[in-house]
Amino acid sequence: MATCSSCWVLKQCLIVGFLFVIIVSIIQPVNGCFTSIFSFGDSLTDTGNLLEISLLESNKLPPSAFPPNGRTFFHHPSGRRCDGRLVIDFLAEALGIPFLQPSYTTKVGRLQKFQKGKNFAVAGATALNSSFLQENGIYNRSTNISLGDELNSFKHLLPSLCSSSADCKKLLRNSLIVMGVIGGNDYSHAFREKNNEAARKFVPLVVHTIASAIHELIELGAMTFLVPGNFPIGCSPELLTNYQGSNKDKYDPLTGCLTWLNQFSQHHNELLRTELEKLRNRHPDINIVYADYYNIAMRFYHSPKQFGFKETLKACCGIGGLYNYNSSRSCGYPPLKSSCNDPSSYISWDGIHYTEAANKWLANVVFEDLMKSITCVSH
């Protein structure tokens, strides 16, 4: 019993020490590391692109256009699928850079701000292009935008931010490129319309697409990349609801997450890390930092109280069922205009995306890992 007690005390000390380090590491913004940030991905990084696209091209606005989205920090909907800030927002704050504006903006006069960076991530975007997915029986009902489209938008914008090829290379050399999260929509559509085996076949293709995008940006002059892995999707209220009724042995007894879905995330992450290592070997002068979203997030589910979470598997903004999630009643769409009293006590905001509180913890650890992996200099 004494040994077990000592182990428990040691575990608690390690957790407290871990929390102290990541809180202290991000108290003050670190200026001089990067002059700008350019980001790509899906709704986990989108700061308003899908909303801007909807305003330009259709009459139907996405859920991110409606309250209670944005209630915690912005106090109004900001185009983010969250109650407040995303990981990319916290990273920008820590680096002394303004929040990234969406690239598909309907507003004018923002070019000067764009020189500090821009966000090309679009909610619903896939890594693989829509025509390829459709040929394989996968249909994206949110948008037909892919990572390739985001990259093309970036290349189209770049000449407006720099006067020559040399200036563009300098801009990118001093920029942080955040590549992802991307690929989750490819998999979720495959799960819904196919099965687990079909989804697994897409993993090498998704990872190759991410690596190809990084290589293309290296050729343009980018030198520092932050590449997040996949989250533990087996803990997502959306997928827990979709696969509710699975055999008890398919659930992790400690967390309540679906084991096979988390194993899928780990499979993606293993292939991604292998591909990133190949890129490092091919480009030894390039900084490619892997952001281990999976293992950071799993700490929330194993020790929720240490992070201030009371609800781990329920959505804060949702309705009905064991996980407070209903796909036909997305957070923000009528009649779902309300949410839990305290979003900071929840990991999941709307059943798919994390709360600002969870994003902050993620960003703190990712920022610390990034700072350990690069050398910051004044520009």
Side-chain angles (χ1 to χ4, degrees):
M1 289 297 293
T3 302
C4 293
S5 176
S6 299
C7 290
W8 183 88
V9 171
L10 177 61
K11 179 181 177 183
Q12 300 307 305
C13 289
L14 289 172
I15 290 173
V16 171
F18 163 76
L19 298 181
F20 176 78
V21 168
I22 62 178
I23 289 172
V24 170
S25 69
I26 200 168
I27 289 176
Q28 296 295 332
V30 178
N31 296 305
C33 288
F34 305 102
T35 58
S36 54
I37 303 174
F38 296 99
S39 62
F40 304 84
D42 54 26
S43 57
L44 296 167
T45 310
D46 185 358
T47 55
N49 275 315
L50 184 61
L51 174 57
E52 297 286 355
I53 292 170
S54 300
L55 290 170
L56 286 167
E57 299 179 0
S58 72
N59 294 321
K60 184 178 181 181
L61 296 178
S64 59
F66 303 101
N69 289 293
R71 58 168 277 191
T72 297
F73 181 79
F74 300 99
H75 308 299
H76 59 79
S78 67
R80 294 162 173 80
R81 297 291 298 271
C82 183
D83 62 305
R85 289 162 289 183
L86 308 179
V87 171
I88 190 68
D89 295 315
F90 286 111
L91 291 177
E93 284 185 325
L95 292 168
I97 292 174
F99 291 149
L100 301 188
Q101 301 292 338
S103 58
Y104 293 89
T105 181
T106 57
K107 300 179 177 65
V108 296
R110 285 183 169 177
L111 188 57
Q112 187 174 4
K113 288 186 178 181
F114 290 159
Q115 290 175 336
K116 288 289 186 179
K118 201 170 187 182
N119 192 344
F120 294 85
V122 180
T126 54
L128 305 174
N129 67 63
S130 58
S131 59
F132 174 83
L133 290 172
Q134 289 173 15
E135 289 170 5
N136 286 271
I138 307 297
Y139 297 91
N140 187 347
R141 296 176 176 84
S142 300
T143 178
N144 61 358
I145 291 175
S146 68
L147 179 58
D149 298 316
E150 295 179 9
L151 194 58
N152 287 336
S153 295
F154 170 77
K155 289 188 290 185
H156 178 74
L157 170 79
L158 188 58
S160 67
L161 301 181
C162 36
S163 57
S164 66
S165 176
D167 284 343
C168 288
K169 285 186 178 293
K170 181 180 179 181
L171 171 67
L172 291 179
R173 184 170 64 248
N174 296 329
S175 298
L176 173 65
I177 308 295
V178 181
M179 183 56 66
V181 178
I182 191 74
N185 291 310
D186 303 68
Y187 302 144
S188 62
H189 297 319
F191 286 140
R192 184 184 65 242
E193 299 181 28
K194 297 289 183 177
N195 52 45
N196 182 22
E197 290 184 9
R200 285 181 77 91
K201 291 179 181 178
F202 284 119
V203 177
L205 300 174
V206 167
V207 168
H208 175 74
T209 300
I210 295 170
S212 296
I214 294 171
H215 177 73
E216 194 166 345
L217 288 167
I218 290 172
E219 293 296 307
L220 290 173
M223 294 196 68
T224 304
F225 295 83
L226 180 67
V227 188
N230 206 348
F231 289 98
I233 60 174
C235 305
S236 158
E238 176 200 29
L239 293 178
L240 285 166
T241 299
N242 291 348
Y243 294 100
Q244 193 172 349
S246 300
N247 295 333
K248 288 185 178 180
D249 59 2
K250 293 187 181 294
Y251 293 88
D252 182 335
L254 297 178
T255 63
C257 303
L258 277 167
T259 303
W260 68 272
L261 281 168
N262 278 352
Q263 288 173 342
F264 184 95
S265 291
Q266 290 174 304
H267 175 58
H268 166 93
N269 293 342
E270 287 169 7
L271 266 60
L272 178 61
R273 296 183 81 157
T274 299
E275 201 66 29
L276 294 181
E277 189 59 32
K278 291 178 182 177
L279 280 170
R280 292 188 190 102
N281 293 334
R282 188 175 177 182
H283 304 281
D285 296 329
I286 303 300
N287 297 310
I288 301 176
V289 181
Y290 174 74
D292 192 0
Y293 279 12
Y294 182 93
N295 283 307
I296 299 171
M298 283 307 299
R299 294 168 181 162
F300 304 159
Y301 300 102
H302 284 294
S303 305
K305 291 182 180 179
Q306 300 293 336
F307 298 90
F309 297 125
K310 296 178 181 178
E311 291 289 353
T312 57
L313 303 180
K314 287 185 178 180
C316 169
C317 184
I319 187 168
L322 182 61
Y323 304 104
N324 200 38
Y325 177 81
N326 186 328
S327 60
S328 64
R329 293 186 173 186
S330 296
C331 178
Y333 279 154
L336 196 51
K337 293 285 190 176
S338 61
S339 58
C340 64
N341 291 329
D342 181 14
S344 68
S345 66
Y346 283 68
I347 297 174
S348 177
W349 167 240
D350 58 4
I352 303 173
H353 309 90
Y354 283 0
T355 57
E356 177 180 274
N359 286 331
K360 185 174 183 178
W361 285 114
L362 282 162
N364 287 354
V365 182
V366 170
F367 177 77
E368 183 187 3
D369 290 344
L370 177 65
M371 291 298 100
K372 287 179 180 177
S373 304
I374 63 172
T375 301
C376 292
V377 294
S378 297
H379 300 289

